Amino acid sequence: GGAARPLRGVRVPVLRAAAAPPEGPVLNSNMLRSIVLNQVVVGYSIWLTNGDGRELLAQTDPSSALIGLVGAVPIVLAGRFIEKSDKPVFAELNSSTNMLVLRLFGDKPQRGLALVVSALIALLVATTEETVFRGVVTNNLYSSVGPLAPVVATILFAIGHINPTSISRETLTLFCLQLCTGGAFATLALLSGGLAAPIAAHACYDFYTFYETHLAVTGQLEYAFGPAAPGLQLPPGRGGGVDVDSARRCFMLMDTNRDGKLQPSELRIALYSYGIKTSDDEARDTFDAADADGSGGIDFGEFVDYVKSGDGDASKAFKRGLLGGPRY
């Protein structure tokens, strides 16, 4: 769906995009218009002509939507697992989704507007894509591939959500994820015998992705630019050579559970946002180097010390970010 497709070409992670305090609520009308036009073109047989898509949609029995709502639960849970993962294979997709939503809704929480717009986008995307792929395309394929039609339609669905001219690990990961979600929607269509169930499940998934991402990203920005907790103060003289205010803001952006310490997964995700992809062993070594007291969490003082005097790519990356290094 629309929420699962990363914004190609955007490499600026949230950590580095937030170089200044939030500017205020916005709605990117150009991006919203692009999303709507894309769906109108994909679903031209629904929205532009009185074609197969509109006929199938008119015949849909809404009573099976409840099956879709139940079926959406494991799909959303799987998406949440990916969202929280610190594995590099998912980090690029998560960063792209964060930036897409940040560009769409701005950098301050606007729960009412984001809720309404997210719901409308999710409903439009779900109705269009499920009617086209689980309806029109699948029905047309039955004459040529028989019972394999839902499988072939799901593959086409996944291909439609990637850029096939740019094959990378991110592209292949996205393709596999779209195969999984598309397969789940196709299964719901087969089990329910109609389109209402996959439309409902798809809409729930996209709505969760848009709205929850907006709340998470803007909430973290508010936390980072808000008052510093007492535990994030340094004694006089410590942190010389480092912009302590910038370091504190960076630390608070990384501290996603807001406990005043960086956990291994938080540090690894932050490093990825600075362009450093680490193996499990490398991530652990980097964390151990910064966790001077071996407590299992990096406090703000340890972070500043590591930025100031640490060796390796991680420390250099943080220094570049805090000292105004190149941005992408």
Side-chain angles (χ1 to χ4, degrees):
R5 181 183 302 152
L7 192 62
R8 295 183 183 90
V10 174
R11 304 287 298 184
V12 185
V14 172
L15 285 175
R16 298 174 71 184
E23 297 175 353
V26 299
L27 178 62
N28 190 326
S29 58
N30 288 334
M31 180 178 289
L32 182 60
R33 187 181 304 113
S34 176
I35 293 172
V36 172
L37 288 177
N38 176 268
Q39 294 304 308
V40 169
V41 171
V42 170
Y44 71 93
S45 67
I46 308 169
W47 312 118
L48 298 180
T49 67
N50 191 21
D52 294 346
R54 185 175 298 183
E55 182 179 346
L56 283 171
L57 194 58
Q59 296 172 355
T60 298
D61 179 6
S63 64
S64 61
L66 181 60
I67 298 175
L69 296 179
V70 174
V73 174
I75 302 173
V76 170
L77 290 176
R80 184 169 179 81
F81 171 81
I82 292 171
E83 171 195 337
K84 302 299 181 182
S85 174
D86 65 345
K87 300 301 181 183
V89 69
F90 297 130
E92 181 75 17
L93 296 178
N94 291 334
S95 178
S96 295
T97 301
N98 289 345
M99 288 307 304
L100 184 152
V101 175
L102 189 63
R103 285 186 58 194
L104 180 61
F105 293 123
D107 48 21
K108 277 193 173 182
Q110 39 186 350
R111 292 171 176 82
L113 177 64
L115 186 148
V116 172
V117 174
S118 296
L120 291 175
I121 290 175
L123 186 59
L124 172 64
V125 171
T127 301
T128 300
E129 295 189 354
E130 295 310 307
T131 302
V132 170
F133 287 100
R134 250 58 68 184
V136 177
V137 173
T138 299
N139 288 349
N140 290 338
L141 285 171
Y142 271 117
S143 61
S144 55
V145 298
L148 292 178
V151 176
V152 177
T154 297
I155 294 173
L156 294 176
F157 171 82
I159 292 174
H161 287 79
I162 64 172
N163 180 2
T165 65
S166 177
I167 303 301
S168 63
R169 187 172 67 169
E170 178 195 356
T171 304
L172 294 176
T173 300
L174 179 60
F175 177 75
C176 291
L177 290 176
Q178 294 295 347
L179 277 180
C180 292
T181 55
F185 300 145
T187 300
L188 288 170
L190 292 172
L191 289 176
S192 65
L195 294 177
I199 288 174
H202 194 150
C204 287
Y205 175 70
D206 278 5
F207 172 76
Y208 168 81
T209 302
F210 272 108
Y211 192 58
E212 194 280 336
T213 299
H214 168 69
L215 295 182
V217 171
T218 56
Q220 197 64 27
L221 287 170
E222 273 201 329
Y223 170 69
F225 286 101
L232 298 181
Q233 305 293 341
L234 291 180
R238 187 174 182 181
V242 174
D243 184 337
V244 175
D245 288 337
S246 295
R248 184 181 295 110
R249 186 161 58 242
C250 177
F251 182 91
M252 294 173 74
L253 281 167
M254 291 187 287
D255 181 22
T256 54
N257 67 359
R258 306 179 191 181
D259 65 350
K261 291 190 175 184
L262 299 183
Q263 306 305 318
S265 60
E266 292 172 332
L267 182 64
R268 189 177 189 183
I269 292 172
L271 288 174
Y272 187 86
S273 74
Y274 279 92
I276 300 177
K277 303 177 183 180
T278 61
S279 66
D280 290 344
D281 289 341
E282 291 169 338
R284 171 53 63 180
D285 289 343
T286 300
F287 182 85
D288 290 342
D291 181 21
D293 63 4
S295 64
I298 301 171
D299 62 33
F300 180 54
E302 290 173 327
F303 175 71
V304 170
D305 291 342
Y306 181 69
V307 171
K308 181 180 178 181
S309 58
D311 295 322
D313 292 339
S315 178
K316 293 176 182 177
F318 286 128
K319 287 176 183 175
R320 285 196 300 270
L322 297 178
L323 295 177
R327 300 180 185 277
Y328 300 94

